[in-house]
Amino acid sequence: MKKDFISITDLTISEISSVFSQTVDVKKNKKKYAKSLLGKTIALIFQKPSLRTRVSFEVGVKQLGGSAVYLGREDVNLGVRESISDVAKTLSRYVDGIVARTFDHKYVLDLARYATVPVINGLSDLLHPCQALADIFTIQEKIKQIKGTVFAYVGDGNNVCNSLLHICAKLGINVNVASPMGYSPQDDILAQSRKIAGETGAKINIFFDASSAVKDADVIYTDVWTSMGQEQEREKRIEIFKDFQINKNLVSLAKKDCLVMHCLPAHRGEEITEEVIESKNSVIFDQAENRLHAQKAIMIKLLGEKR
Ligand code: CP
Ligand code: NVA
C-alpha cells in the first residue's frame, strides 16, 4: 500500500522519530544514499511560487539518484485544464511520486486519493508538514531533549503554525501561540492538536499578546503576516499584526539562548527585524538547509526500495 505525507498526523510518533534518525544519517553520509531513488522520477506540481521547497526537493531527488519534473501553474493548471483526478491518474502512469503545492488543501487530498503513487504535501493553504518536520529536527539538533521545551509561535495562525502544532503535540513540546484576535489557528486544528497533546503531555496555550507567549520560551518562531494567496489583505494585515513583530525587545523576554526561527521567505522589518534574523539566536538558515535532509529522509521512507 502506498503511503502519502499530507499532514504530520499521517506519521506516528515512532515514524517521526525514525525519520529524524534517517535525517541525521542522510545529512552525515550523503554518498551512502546516492542510489536510494535510482531510476525513479518525482513530479513537482506547484500552484504557488517556491524557492526552498522546489529547490530542496529537486536537489534532494537528484542526490538520491532520481530525477524530478517540475510542473508550474501554467503547465498543469490543476482543476481548470483538467480534473485533479485525471491529473493524478495520468501522472501515476509516468512517475513514482508526486510533491504538490496547492492553494486549497482539498487539491492535495484529491491528488493523494486518486494517485496510485505516494503524494507529499509541499504546502497547502492549511498545512506545511515538510516545513514542520525540518523545523523540529533543527530544534532537536540544537536542544537534545525537546520534550517539555516551550515553543512560542508569534504571528498568523496559518499553514505553518498548524503543522507545527501537530508535530509539537506529537512530540510533547509545549506550544504558546500569540496572534491578534481573529488570527489564532483554526478551531479544528487546535482541537486535533489538543487531543494529541492530551496523550503526550504537551500543553497548548493561545495568547493575544506576544510578550506573554514568549516569556521564558526556548524557541520563538514566526512566519509572514500575509501568506501566498492573501496579497490583497497585505496593508490591513501589516496594521493588525504590528505588535507581533519579533524584535530585540521581544527576544529579551525569552530564555537567553533561545532559538529564533522563521520558515522563510521573511519580510525583514515586518514580522521580524533584520537584527534578529542576523543575531546569534537565529537558526533560520539551518532550518532552510534541513528542509533538504528531512525531505530526503521522507522520500527514502515513502519511495525508496524496501531492503
Ligand atoms: N519555507 C518554504 O516553504 O519556502 P518556499 O515557499 O520558498 O518553498
Ligand atoms: N505561510 C506562508 C508560508 C510560506 C513558506 C505561505 O503560505 O505563504
Side-chain angles (χ1 to χ4, degrees):
M1 248 260 289
K2 67 145 180 163
K3 185 165 170 66
D4 304 305
F5 181 47
I6 306 299
S7 166
I8 288 292
T9 54
D10 293 334
L11 301 179
T12 62
I13 297 170
S14 90
E15 282 175 320
I16 294 174
S17 152
S18 91
V19 170
F20 281 178
S21 308
Q22 180 78 83
T23 306
V24 170
D25 204 46
V26 161
K27 188 168 178 176
K28 219 177 352 185
N29 303 304
K30 183 172 156 192
K31 288 207 179 113
K32 183 171 151 192
Y33 297 95
K35 293 185 175 171
S36 297
L37 292 188
L38 195 65
K40 302 221 165 148
T41 305
I42 315 300
L44 272 60
I45 312 185
F46 279 40
Q47 286 192 311
K48 301 178 182 178
S50 170
L51 172 66
R52 280 144 292 272
T53 309
R54 176 180 176 176
V55 177
S56 56
F57 267 109
E58 287 202 26
V59 170
V61 169
K62 197 160 172 53
Q63 289 179 358
L64 295 173
S67 47
V69 179
Y70 178 78
L71 301 161
R73 186 162 196 168
E74 60 293 350
D75 300 310
V76 179
N77 212 352
L78 268 185
V80 178
R81 185 164 182 265
E82 58 190 310
S83 71
I84 306 230
S85 61
D86 287 355
V87 172
K89 288 176 191 168
T90 306
L91 274 178
S92 299
R93 302 292 178 106
Y94 301 138
V95 302
D96 304 283
I98 299 171
V99 178
R101 168 166 286 199
T102 66
F103 285 98
D104 196 335
H105 186 65
K106 192 176 175 304
Y107 287 2
V108 72
L109 287 175
D110 282 350
L111 279 171
R113 179 168 167 205
Y114 294 106
T116 54
V117 297
V119 173
I120 297 174
N121 182 359
L123 179 149
S124 68
D125 282 350
L126 187 68
L127 300 173
H128 198 2
C130 295
Q131 182 70 52
L133 207 56
D135 292 340
I136 304 304
F137 175 80
T138 306
I139 298 175
Q140 194 169 276
E141 277 187 318
K142 317 275 175 193
I143 306 174
K144 300 289 176 241
Q145 180 53 262
I146 56 172
K147 198 172 163 77
T149 52
V150 177
F151 180 98
Y153 180 97
V154 177
D156 191 19
N158 61 17
N159 45 7
V160 170
C161 180
N162 291 340
S163 286
L164 286 167
L165 273 166
H166 282 154
I167 196 164
C168 287
K170 285 235 175 208
L171 300 181
I173 299 170
N174 301 317
V175 191
N176 294 339
V177 180
S179 315
M181 202 78 80
Y183 293 86
S184 301
Q186 60 189 63
D187 291 343
D188 57 339
I189 297 283
L190 268 179
Q192 191 183 24
S193 304
R194 285 197 162 118
K195 186 161 181 279
I196 302 167
E199 292 154 20
T200 63
K203 293 184 197 72
I204 297 174
N205 293 306
I206 300 297
F207 294 86
F208 300 103
D209 78 293
S211 316
S212 315
V214 304
K215 194 174 175 310
D216 296 327
D218 299 283
V219 180
I220 305 179
Y221 196 113
T222 194
D223 182 14
V224 289
W225 293 337
T226 305
S227 285
M228 292 179 276
Q230 300 171 332
E231 289 77 7
Q232 72 294 350
E233 296 175 30
R234 185 171 146 79
E235 293 311 314
K236 179 180 105 181
R237 282 172 171 265
I238 288 177
E239 182 54 29
I240 291 173
F241 281 84
K242 64 178 187 316
D243 295 331
F244 291 80
Q245 183 188 65
I246 309 296
N247 51 37
K248 207 171 80 182
N249 288 343
L250 195 71
V251 173
S252 73
L253 304 176
K255 289 207 177 125
K256 193 168 168 289
D257 53 356
C258 72
L259 306 179
V260 173
M261 306 184 77
H262 191 311
C263 58
L264 298 174
H267 294 139
R268 292 172 187 235
E270 287 182 26
E271 74 277 3
I272 190 163
T273 59
E274 173 95 25
E275 186 182 25
V276 171
I277 293 188
E278 301 301 339
S279 70
K280 63 173 183 10
N281 298 72
S282 166
V283 294
I284 291 171
F285 295 99
D286 296 328
Q287 285 175 259
E289 179 188 333
N290 283 333
R291 293 290 305 278
L292 172 68
H293 309 302
Q295 288 162 192
K296 283 170 75 177
I298 273 286
M299 287 191 284
I300 291 168
K301 175 176 172 57
L302 302 187
L303 307 162
E305 290 300 334
K306 301 277 169 284
R307 288 173 213 278

